[in-house]
Amino acid sequence: MKSVITTVVTSADAAGRFPSTSDLESVQGSIQRATARLEAAEKLASGLDAVAKEGYDAAFKKYPYLTQAGEAGDTQVKKDKCLRDIKHYLRLINYSLVVGGTGPLDEWGIAGARETYRSLGLPTAPYVTALTYTRDRACSPRDLSPQALTEFRALLDYVINSLS
């Protein structure tokens, strides 16, 4: 699993050197942001189902045609799979917040996701909409501290950009 620490150590090992000062500063910065990341992870975990449902609702509101016959959300089973996928991305974001890197997202959520959705004829725009809604709805201090919100939004942006 990739985290800031494993990435720094792996990079230094591959170059046949010890971690540099800037490598160690990167690790230190990650450790200093750990409290904010864990706050965001805890809040997300406690409200994951509600957060996913709000994003899901926003996606189907923006793309109502998806519920028409022959479209990606024309049955309850397909709608349930869409909600499942949104929850999957949010869980991976949660995991990434805990480890302090994008490894879980890269390995289990992004690698091949666009290609998979396209090969199945599923649009990625509704997922982007759901995650964008989640990013834009979250606010400080109502939901998270400013730093925790920054950490959460950065990972949402990472997924949004990968699916766009």
Side-chain angles (χ1 to χ4, degrees):
M1 183 57 49
K2 286 192 311 186
S3 69
V4 172
I5 296 170
T6 58
T7 301
V8 164
V9 171
T10 301
S11 177
D13 283 348
R17 61 177 176 76
F18 289 106
S20 68
T21 302
S22 64
D23 291 336
L24 297 175
E25 287 171 357
S26 174
V27 171
Q28 183 179 11
S30 177
I31 291 169
Q32 289 171 344
R33 293 188 323 272
T35 301
R37 285 195 321 270
L38 291 176
E39 174 194 340
E42 180 182 343
K43 293 278 185 153
L44 178 57
S46 69
L48 190 123
D49 289 336
V51 170
K53 181 70 167 94
E54 286 181 5
Y56 165 90
D57 290 342
F60 277 95
K61 182 178 180 181
K62 182 172 182 178
Y63 300 104
Y65 74 88
L66 290 173
T67 60
Q68 296 172 1
E71 293 293 338
D74 64 349
T75 67
Q76 190 58 48
V77 170
K78 291 178 181 178
K79 290 177 187 174
D80 291 345
K81 287 180 180 180
C82 178
L83 181 59
R84 175 204 63 199
D85 289 353
I86 293 167
K87 285 181 182 181
H88 178 69
Y89 281 113
L90 291 173
R91 283 188 189 101
L92 291 176
I93 287 170
N94 187 286
Y95 192 11
S96 293
L97 287 164
V98 172
V99 299
T102 60
L105 284 165
D106 294 333
E107 294 172 23
W108 300 320
I110 293 173
R114 264 190 305 172
E115 292 77 16
T116 300
Y117 287 141
R118 286 189 181 136
S119 70
L120 295 172
L122 299 172
T124 57
Y127 297 105
V128 170
T129 297
L131 296 171
T132 300
Y133 176 85
T134 300
R135 179 198 63 203
D136 296 344
R137 186 193 178 289
C139 73
S140 177
R142 180 192 69 202
D143 300 317
L144 299 165
S145 69
Q147 184 62 42
L149 185 58
T150 298
E151 298 290 333
F152 180 53
R153 283 182 172 161
L155 289 170
L156 284 164
D157 284 337
Y158 187 79
V159 177
I160 290 165
N161 291 333
S162 75
L163 294 175
S164 296

